[in-house]
Amino acid sequence: MAASKSTRKEIEKLRADLRHHEYRYYVLDEPEISDAAFDRMMNRLKALEAEHPELVTPDSPSQRVGGAPREGFETVVHRRPMISLDNAYSYDDLREFDRRVRELTGREHIEYVTEHKYDGLSLALIYEGGRLARGVTRGDGARGEDVTPNVRTIRSIPLVLDSAAIKKWKLPPDLEVRGEAIMSRRAFEELNRKQEEQGGKIFANARNAAAGAVRMLDPKVTASRRLDFYAYYLLNADGRDPLDRHSRALDALEAMGFRVCAERQRVAGIDKVMAFCDAQDARREKLPYEIDGIVAKVDETALQEELGATAKAPRWAIAYKYPARQETTVVRDIRVQVGRTGALTPVADLEPVKVGGVTVSHSTLHNMDEVERLGVQIGDTVLIERAGEVIPHVISVTKKGAHRRPFVMPEKCPECGSRIHKSPDEVAYRCVNAACPAKRKESLIHFAGRHAMNIDGLGEKIVDQLVDNGLVKDPADLYPLTLDTLVPLERMAEKSAQNLLDEIESSKKNGLARLIYALGIRFVGERTGQLLAEHFGSLREIEEANEEKLTEVPEIGPKVAASIAEFFSEAANRKLVAKLQKAGVRMTAERKAPRDSKLAGKTFVFTGGLEHRSREQAGEIVVSHGGKVGGSVSKKTDYVVVGSDPGSKYDQAKKLGLTILDEAGFEKLVGIK
Ligand code: AMP
Ligand code: ZN
């Protein structure tokens, strides 16, 4: 069925709005609407596009993740080679660079543009007619790999360039944008945390993680890695500079919708470049991403052309590299630390050593696989690196110790003596005891979290004190707390203590879905909590369900089912549940009872847009009267409600001779106006 003019208009409007909000969120970091509102718009667009597949265009915001995994990448020749940058390791090197530039150009003073040197994977983005046509990796510099589907998943890369900016800067619509795909510190830490939780590979640094993510054969994996893109070159279709100054190119890129270095400066003379390097070094750890240096580029493109390039690097740019934060030292011991999720992390105790001005005395070894990969033993000399504020990590063994001895993973939890478990599909060894003291604090914080039991005011500081003073051992101990026990704690005025007690009290009524999530069972997130609650209705039944029964729940696979079953097979965990129940925590699901059952046994399918309500709202009305909403039309469908611009479901309904209602007919049937 052909789309009407109004549908086309709505689609166009949704796309424009979504583009705007993507830009606010992913480029500017200043969202104007809630995530939920964004999702609603996106869902509406996807629904319209599903009904009118002929209207789907590759630049639609719905099309960022599409396409199946690929077998490999095609090779693409770069219009202008993607060469490297010469490095400067000292300010003398910078002065020497400036001297050469002045000598070759005959200019006394040079204007430079300074930017961060991002540490990721460089990409060339080809825009045709203002639309993203292709994304290519640097490859060997002359040719790279076509990674277009992956590049499209990076939200800070505009699929469509801002046309007003193109006009304003008098740019051609065919352009090439070069820049770096990177992973922010936050995305990197989150990725490693997730990998650790799920027993996946731990990435040594954000660059490896970003480079790996761009080159994934499955764009869905790339999408899940949360990459960012920062632009630093603008070329026209023949690989030349469309603007007379690099600083203007960066401004134009920013106006067209890209992220560019926000701290960039245009400075006169090399001394100012050095001042910029100093200033950025001082606040380096505060940047959202890691940088390994500063790039200085001659601003005038005419001068750039005059200077030209060697085979390896342009003569008009230089990368100043910050001194490496690496050092060698001796591993005195390797011990085990029990972390948040009960994972046992091997940690190296080091001979204290200064790295980049900070004394380092231990370093994480992540997991047993990493210990084996490094081949590190107690007594070895190792090279360690400190990047950002994270704990330093061991890069390699530089000398084997004369009396070295291997590290052995303990068989019992060093904190509580419980059993250690390692599932075959993970690298981490874990303590199975939910009440393990090492896990206590973290599990309490998780329990009180906003999406779990939502106990406002139970932050880290309070939890530390509660656990350290022996007042709370597990989440169930929160419930008998009194004013007398809380008030003596630091930073606990009577009023805040009372507030906390009220919060704890009201959390009892949260219901099953939140409670399940709050228990912190591995692989059980909020959504799984809801599914379990809906399916079983009470914690008792979940406790008693075996793996087979658990997999009957839609969306719950064998891995999650096994994890749930294992959790409840542990005596300590069952004891915790009993204790929570005794404390008065609600263990059953809140089931929304239907208003009446006049639609019981009836299945509805909606197609096309309704006028008085969204289709979701209409669906809720059906459910509230005991009916069901189906996604597709079949013989079992009782009513098909047809709005404006209905899709193929309408034709199908006619073919099957089903009862077809318009919105008014639907309202009459359910008794509303
Ligand atoms: P390297 O890989 O250490 O030889 O450094 C050269 C690479 O640095 C370039 O190929 C770019 O991928 C990257 N790079 C990072 N930040 C910038 C920037 N602001 N301007 C130009 N290139 C950059
Ligand atoms: Zn333990």
Side-chain angles (χ1 to χ4, degrees), residues 132-259:
L132 179 67
R134 216 162 339 117
V136 187
T137 63
R138 172 159 122 186
D140 64 5
R143 59 195 75 217
E145 289 171 326
D146 183 331
V147 287
T148 311
N150 300 0
V151 159
R152 305 176 65 85
T153 69
I154 304 175
R155 305 293 191 118
S156 43
I157 293 180
L159 299 178
V160 181
L161 300 177
D162 187 291
S163 53
I166 293 188
K167 221 160 144 194
K168 181 183 158 215
W169 290 88
K170 299 196 178 64
L171 290 166
D174 289 353
L175 290 165
E176 176 169 337
V177 175
R178 291 183 178 180
E180 201 94 345
I182 60 162
M183 209 177 269
S184 69
R185 284 181 214 274
R186 234 178 77 195
F188 173 65
E189 275 158 30
E190 179 146 345
L191 171 64
N192 264 355
R193 215 188 54 222
K194 241 200 268 161
Q195 294 287 102
E196 193 164 337
E197 248 176 55
Q198 303 183 355
K201 174 186 161 162
I202 303 290
F203 293 92
N205 53 51
R207 186 199 39 234
N208 293 0
V214 172
R215 300 189 61 258
M216 283 288 161
L217 291 171
D218 185 352
K220 287 197 186 63
V221 181
T222 311
S224 72
R225 297 278 166 92
R226 308 234 161 266
L227 293 164
D228 272 323
F229 180 82
Y230 283 82
Y232 49 66
Y233 288 130
L234 176 62
L235 307 176
N236 65 21
D238 359 293
R240 298 170 69 90
D241 292 292
L243 296 170
D244 59 344
R245 283 182 179 270
H246 179 60
S247 50
R248 297 185 67 222
L250 292 179
D251 292 346
L253 284 165
E254 190 168 44
M256 284 190 291
F258 289 93
R259 282 184 184 233

Side-chain angles (χ1 to χ4, degrees), residues 363-598:
S363 159
T364 173
L365 292 166
H366 298 297
N367 53 51
M368 201 58 204
D369 281 13
E370 179 71 358
V371 173
E372 274 157 19
R373 188 185 70 78
L374 292 164
V376 61
Q377 296 195 5
I378 299 156
D380 287 353
T381 302
V382 292
L383 180 68
I384 60 167
E385 181 178 61
R386 195 173 70 87
E389 278 161 316
V390 294
I391 329 170
H393 65 272
V394 173
I395 296 176
S396 60
V397 174
T398 56
K399 203 173 123 231
K400 290 180 181 167
H403 305 286
R404 66 203 300 251
R405 65 194 159 85
F407 159 75
V408 199
M409 189 56 87
E411 278 164 15
K412 294 220 149 106
C413 172
E415 298 279 342
C416 71
S418 288
R419 197 157 52 85
I420 299 297
H421 177 76
K422 181 183 183 298
S423 72
D425 54 344
E426 318 193 284
V427 287
Y429 290 74
R430 288 169 201 283
C431 166
V432 292
N433 177 8
C436 175
K439 288 157 69 175
R440 256 175 223 162
K441 291 180 185 175
E442 285 300 337
S443 35
L444 278 167
I445 286 167
H446 174 79
F447 186 84
R450 202 151 61 83
H451 299 283
M453 296 303 263
N454 194 22
I455 303 175
D456 201 19
L458 195 71
E460 232 168 278
K461 297 241 163 64
I462 308 290
V463 166
D464 278 352
Q465 295 188 66
L466 291 174
V467 174
D468 294 345
N469 292 322
L471 295 170
V472 170
K473 291 199 179 61
D474 62 46
D477 290 337
L478 292 170
Y479 293 97
L481 285 175
T482 61
L483 264 189
D484 296 342
T485 41
L486 286 181
V487 170
L489 300 180
E490 253 172 74
R491 265 182 269 221
M492 252 302 167
E494 192 168 326
K495 182 143 185 293
S496 43
Q498 188 55 54
N499 286 345
L500 180 55
L501 289 178
D502 293 346
E503 285 280 331
I504 292 173
E505 182 59 29
S506 72
S507 77
K508 288 182 184 171
K509 300 192 290 284
N510 279 336
L512 186 57
R514 276 175 176 273
L515 178 64
I516 297 168
Y517 173 60
L519 288 175
I521 307 167
R522 282 176 37 72
F523 307 129
V524 175
E526 271 177 88
R527 167 124 186 102
T528 310
Q530 268 161 19
L531 293 171
L532 286 166
E534 275 164 27
H535 188 89
F536 290 102
S538 79
L539 196 61
R540 164 79 350 139
E541 281 178 55
I542 301 172
E543 240 183 298
E544 281 166 8
N546 56 17
E547 281 184 50
E548 198 185 78
K549 261 197 133 164
L550 288 162
T551 40
E552 282 169 14
V553 182
E555 289 182 45
I556 290 187
K559 185 166 144 186
V560 180
S563 168
I564 298 166
E566 166 161 347
F567 181 87
F568 288 112
S569 73
E570 236 355 90
N573 297 336
R574 283 203 305 273
K575 238 162 85 188
L576 170 66
V577 169
K579 222 169 132 186
L580 284 165
Q581 181 155 33
K582 230 170 117 195
V585 175
R586 212 173 114 188
M587 305 254 148
T588 51
E590 191 160 316
R591 284 224 171 93
K592 263 195 222 149
R595 216 179 312 175
D596 59 46
S597 50
K598 71 175 164 198

Side-chain angles (χ1 to χ4, degrees), residues 82-87 114-123 138 179-180 231-233 246 261 292 294-295 297 312 317 319 321:
M82 290 181 80
I83 50 180
S84 186
L85 291 170
D86 276 334
N87 291 323
T114 52
E115 291 165 64
H116 290 154
K117 183 171 190 298
Y118 310 101
D119 206 8
L121 188 77
S122 45
L123 289 175
R138 172 159 122 186
E180 201 94 345
Y232 49 66
Y233 288 130
H246 179 60
C261 179
D292 61 344
I294 297 295
V295 182
K297 297 169 187 164
K312 196 191 140 264
K321 292 265 179 100

